[in-house]
Structure formats: C-alpha cells, structure tokens
Amino acid sequence: MLVLALASDWAIDPKMSSVEFLGKSTLHDIHGKGGTLSGKLTVSDGSLAAAGEAEIPIVSLRTGNKGMDRNMYAMFEEKAFPRIALNIVSADLSGIREGVDSPVVIHGVLVIHGVSKDVLIPAKIRLDHGRYVCEGSFSISLKEYALKAPRLFLI
C-alpha cells in the first residue's frame, strides 16, 4: 500500500506504505514484507497525469526466516543491485474521488537486478482525508530479471 500527501508534488510516506511479496515454487511458497518504500510523484496540472519513482532496498525485504532472507539477498546480489525501483511513466488520476476506490493502470519501468522491464500495474486509488492511497499487485518472473532462484529457499 502506498500513501501520498495531497499536492502537485507528492512524496511516498514510508511510515504509511508497505510492500508484500509472494514467491511460488514447486517446493513451497515464500511470503514476506518490505519496509522503507520511498519515492515521489509529480502530477501535471489539469490532466492529473502522474509520473515519478518508487524504490525499496533489497535488505528491507523480510520473510521472517533469516536463512531464507540471506538466500534471497544472495539471489538479488544485493551488494551490486541494492534496490528495486519503479519508474512511473504515467497514471491517469482524473477519476480519483474521496473515499471511493477508483481503478487506475500505472505504467512504469520496473528495475530489478539491473534489468529494466515495462510493466502495467492494475491498482485502486482513493482520496482519504487529504492523502491518496494506492493498492495494487502484479506478477513478475525471476528469469525476466536475470535472477536464478536458489535450489533451496531454506535455512
């Protein structure tokens, strides 16, 4: 979930924002959360077209299992590629209303492990007492980002 302050230039509020992930494999699923989501958006006057960036440090991703986290950080090569970034190219915010979840498609470029891929993220955005709240989800393939899953995502 992403929370933005209402203005022409918006900052992602790291205290109110979160990232969750779910990895699927034949052995077991991997679920975790990330913290320290940061970034900014700029809204063009009149059209309410948004562009900006959001990022999260790899080391803020946590599964609740330290061994699994170490394997995940190694898979991402977090020393060489310390962040996951989303460069937001566009999002039409013209239909956003107070207290109503409005469907929006966020067009961006997702950068993971040094590989950039265009993404379309279906999301819901609502105005909530002077803040924009955005919730969305999308899937990626590790192979598309030159990532090789560890043989065992265990301790």
Side-chain angles (χ1 to χ4, degrees):
M1 179 172 23
L2 162 68
V3 178
L4 306 167
L6 179 60
S8 290
D9 290 318
W10 304 339
I12 295 173
D13 185 345
K15 292 179 183 174
M16 299 290 293
S17 302
S18 64
V19 171
E20 292 188 38
F21 60 91
L22 175 63
K24 299 227 177 228
S25 76
T26 54
L27 292 176
H28 56 82
D29 293 344
I30 300 143
H31 181 261
K33 294 183 178 188
T36 327
L37 179 66
S38 63
K40 62 182 179 178
L41 288 159
T42 300
V43 177
S44 301
D45 292 334
S47 68
L48 286 180
E53 59 194 39
E55 68 177 31
I56 188 164
I58 296 291
V59 295
S60 74
L61 301 174
R62 303 264 196 269
T63 64
N65 178 311
K66 289 182 182 182
M68 195 177 295
D69 291 346
R70 279 192 301 274
N71 287 340
M72 179 174 55
Y73 303 154
M75 176 192 72
F76 279 111
E77 297 181 84
E78 62 87 15
K79 298 281 188 214
F81 306 101
R83 290 177 174 70
I84 294 173
L86 174 64
N87 299 311
I88 300 165
V89 176
S90 66
D92 179 1
L93 306 179
S94 60
I96 308 305
R97 302 288 178 258
E98 179 73 36
V100 177
D101 285 339
S102 301
V104 172
V105 176
I106 300 168
H107 173 226
V109 177
L110 186 63
V111 183
I112 301 175
H113 197 241
V115 178
S116 301
K117 296 282 183 185
D118 284 336
V119 293
L120 295 174
I121 304 170
K124 294 179 197 170
I125 301 178
R126 73 180 173 278
L127 185 57
D128 186 7
H129 299 91
R131 294 179 177 262
Y132 284 101
V133 177
C134 175
E135 295 182 46
S137 65
F138 61 100
S139 298
I140 66 163
S141 164
L142 295 179
K143 290 179 185 178
E144 289 179 344
Y145 291 91
L147 294 168
K148 187 176 179 182
R151 289 186 180 264
L152 289 177
F153 237 138
L154 302 173
I155 300 175

